Amino acid sequence: MTPVDSNTRSDSVGWQDIETAPKDGSGVMLIDMSAPKPEAGIGWFVFGVWTAVQPIAALALDREVFEAMVWVSPTHWMPLPTPPALEERRG
């Protein structure tokens, strides 16, 4: 799970070009609009590449679903919304 970082939290900012995204390891929402079926997910920029956690289905139906960190090529990003607990603390 990505730590909460108030510098990349906003409930009023929309999708922005990936070139403007923070590259300090902060978690952000990512999407690749060039994909046939674009899907948004949480990712971050580390070691010079965009990465995200993606579920990987097990081969057998009775097994758990595992997650793997994968390299992604997003076209847009958006700050993560402020978690409810943080909003309540701010009062």
Side-chain angles (χ1 to χ4, degrees), residues 12-33:
S12 61
V13 178
W15 290 105
Q16 301 173 55
D17 188 274
I18 195 63
E19 296 301 321
T20 66
K23 294 185 172 70
D24 61 0
S26 301
V28 295
M29 188 71 99
L30 300 171
I31 193 165
D32 177 4
M33 292 306 296

Side-chain angles (χ1 to χ4, degrees), residues 65-82:
V65 173
F66 297 93
E67 291 183 340
M69 191 166 69
V70 296
W71 292 355
V72 293
S73 299
T75 58
H76 293 80
W77 77 284
M78 179 187 324
L80 295 173
T82 303

Side-chain angles (χ1 to χ4, degrees), residues 1 3-4 15 19-21 29 34 38-40 42 47 51 53-55 59 62 65 70 75-76 80 85 87 89 91:
M1 179 141 325
V4 172
W15 290 105
E19 296 301 321
T20 66
M29 188 71 99
S34 68
E39 292 183 12
I42 297 173
F47 304 116
T51 58
V53 175
Q54 231 177 324
L59 294 176
D62 61 343
V65 173
V70 296
T75 58
H76 293 80
L80 295 173
E87 289 174 354
R89 282 190 226 159

